[in-house]
Amino acid sequence: MSTAIIVGGGIGGLATAIAFLRKGWDVEVLERATTIAEVGAGLSVWPNALRALDALGVGAEVRARATEEGAAGIRDSKGTWLSRSDTDLLRARYRLPIMMHRADLFDILRAAIPESALRTGITVSEARTDGTVVHSAGTSTGDVVVGADGIRSVVRRAVCGEVAPRYSGYTAWRVVVTPTEPMGDLGESWGRGERFGYAALADGRVYCFATGNMPAGTAGGGLAELRRRFGTWHAPIPGLLAAADEGALLKHDLYDLPALKTYVAGRIALVGDAAHAMTPNLGQGACQAIEDAVVLAEVATRDGDLTRYDAERRPRTQMIVTRSRRIGAIAQLSAAPLVALRNAVLRLTPSTAQANALAPVLDWHPPTR
Ligand SMILES: Cc1cc2nc3c(=O)[nH]c(=O)nc-3n(C[C@H](O)[C@H](O)[C@H](O)COP(=O)(O)OP(=O)(O)OC[C@H]3O[C@@H](n4cnc5c(N)ncnc54)[C@H](O)[C@@H]3O)c2cc1C
């Protein structure tokens, strides 16, 4: 039986483990954390990734623990609509994205993998193109080694040397809140160099996310900072921030990866953020990791030529990294004249044009063989 050694037990690693298991492979997931768990935040899963999750046999369970993202759009800080998505058009053309808690997706992915395949508390220090992985408990050897170890991947060194992530210029906050007032329409609100968004979770809670321009590594930035930035924005934002718990607040500087020359070397293939970490402006980072998983297992099983995986996945994922970065640059504009111009363009852009622009990202289907 063929074996896949998967470094990293994040969404990308777990999805890849399921994809190989379904092809009849033996799987070993090496995760440095002592428990396999996700951060307390929401995750939007777009129809392209839902098709990939269907291919992994978990799509129905995922949908059952998620809410369909309904009417949405972009407002200014006072609540005036700049752009509204045409939900009917999006549903008819692509199906709507869903929103779920990350922990729920993790539970579902984990449950599809036998406990014996998950090795926690193991830190990988080196991967070799011959299929050897050196780690804190010894070595493992596989027919394929999958680098699913995130944006600061160790496995990536064997594929393309040191590659430094790029700071986007802005940080992100996330928090899940129990709302105390009606939410109305969901979506994002854009100000000058900062954004606030919120989306409903299946259990009635609300996932809030915000961004702000600042140098990487800026200290502080707790709820007091969020309330200072967004406390005077339109309802229900001040109420959501009043209901938020400091201990549940996450703050991460946002980075992406410059385009790698390849995602494969010898027996090694990179998936997810290790290959193509992106800013979250399209909500596609995890979605692309799930697509990677399905394609990699298919290619590895078909004829083992991993360069086909590279050829299929690299152009698509790098296109999405670039788009996400561009959207972020526009959304985070801070100079007043540029913000006024951006808002005017948003108001004038028809919803059909917005829907068409999503086609290259959402019109993806799993390999059929
Ligand atoms: C603010 C924010 C919002 C986002 N929103 C969305 C969204 O709505 N939709 C979406 O699709 N994506 C979203 N993303 C992106 C998404 O979270 C990531 O793309 C995705 O989680 C990447 O998964 P991964 O498995 O590739 O990497 P990771 O989640 O980083 O997992 C890597 C795993 O490898 C382990 N590891 C690392 N190094 C080693 C080692 N040396 N040895 C052993 N184990 C190791 C780590 O402990 C970790 O468990 C968002 C990201 C951010 C920051």
Side-chain angles (χ1 to χ4, degrees):
M1 188 190 278
S2 304
T3 303
I5 308 294
I6 298 169
V7 183
I11 293 171
L14 297 186
T16 308
I18 298 170
F20 275 98
L21 285 165
R22 287 175 68 87
K23 296 285 183 191
W25 287 50
D26 230 0
V27 161
E28 190 179 321
V29 178
L30 304 172
E31 167 56 50
R32 79 177 158 201
T34 46
T35 49
I36 291 200
E38 250 290 354
V39 295
L43 186 78
S44 58
V45 183
W46 289 79
N48 53 310
L50 282 168
R51 286 181 213 113
L53 289 164
D54 283 334
L56 297 179
V58 295
E61 272 179 276
V62 165
R63 287 182 187 85
R65 286 168 78 170
T67 51
E68 212 177 50
E69 289 192 53
I74 301 170
R75 278 175 273 202
D76 66 16
S77 60
K78 294 191 176 72
T80 307
W81 288 101
L82 300 173
S83 122
R84 297 194 82 159
S85 56
D86 182 337
T87 313
D88 292 338
L89 176 66
L90 290 174
R91 184 185 282 112
R93 177 117 187 236
Y94 309 110
R95 294 180 181 277
L96 292 176
I98 58 166
M99 172 59 64
M100 69 191 305
H101 199 287
R102 283 172 180 257
D104 288 333
L105 179 59
F106 248 65
D107 284 353
I108 293 166
L109 296 178
R110 252 199 90 145
I113 303 168
E115 202 61 34
S116 57
L118 300 173
R119 297 183 65 189
T120 53
I122 298 203
T123 300
V124 169
S125 52
E126 188 190 348
R128 299 186 191 134
T129 52
D130 67 357
T132 309
V133 175
V134 183
H135 53 73
S136 50
T139 58
S140 300
T141 308
D143 300 280
V144 170
V145 171
V146 182
D149 49 344
I151 188 166
R152 296 182 197 279
S153 168
V154 165
V155 176
R156 189 170 64 228
R157 285 189 207 139
V159 176
C160 44
E162 284 297 339
V163 177
R166 302 180 291 198
Y167 183 51
S168 64
Y170 46 99
T171 205
W173 293 268
R174 288 174 286 176
V175 67
V176 176
V177 167
T178 303
T180 54
E181 57 187 301
M183 285 298 101
D185 286 326
L186 306 167
E188 281 189 37
S189 301
W190 291 9
R192 293 176 51 187
E194 49 198 15
R195 281 177 280 168
F196 195 100
Y198 49 97
L201 296 173
D203 61 6
R205 290 184 298 165
V206 173
Y207 165 52
C208 302
F209 50 94
T211 58
N213 292 350
M214 62 177 69
T218 303
L223 271 181
E225 163 93 9
L226 278 182
R227 288 176 185 141
R228 182 187 66 73
R229 284 175 178 264
F230 303 104
T232 58
W233 284 31
H234 66 84
I237 295 171
L240 287 167
L241 287 174
D245 170 11
E246 185 83 58
L249 183 68
L250 302 168
K251 176 181 178 291
H252 290 102
D253 290 340
L254 296 179
Y255 289 82
D256 68 8
L257 272 185
L260 305 186
K261 290 204 170 62
T262 178
Y263 291 175
V264 302
R267 292 181 183 272
I268 303 178
L270 303 175
V271 301
D273 281 11
H276 46 66
M278 58 187 75
T279 54
N281 299 299
L282 283 165
Q284 280 285 334
C287 293
Q288 291 306 307
I290 298 164
E291 285 187 15
D292 289 343
V294 172
V295 175
L296 178 59
E298 177 65 34
V299 167
T301 306
R302 202 186 296 157
D303 61 9
D305 179 4
L306 296 184
T307 62
R308 289 179 203 265
Y309 165 77
D310 179 59
E312 200 166 315
R313 295 303 299 158
R314 200 159 38 85
R316 170 167 171 75
T317 50
Q318 291 180 347
M319 172 270 289
I320 297 173
V321 172
T322 303
R323 281 181 171 229
S324 300
R325 193 175 175 80
R326 284 194 191 134
I327 292 169
I330 293 166
Q332 294 297 131
L333 283 173
S334 58
L338 291 176
V339 169
L341 180 64
R342 173 196 74 192
N343 291 359
V345 171
L346 279 171
R347 273 190 223 99
L348 292 171
T349 307
S351 52
T352 44
Q354 288 171 25
N356 289 342
L358 290 171
V361 178
L362 302 186
D363 276 342
W364 177 90
H365 291 264
T368 51
R369 224 186 54 117

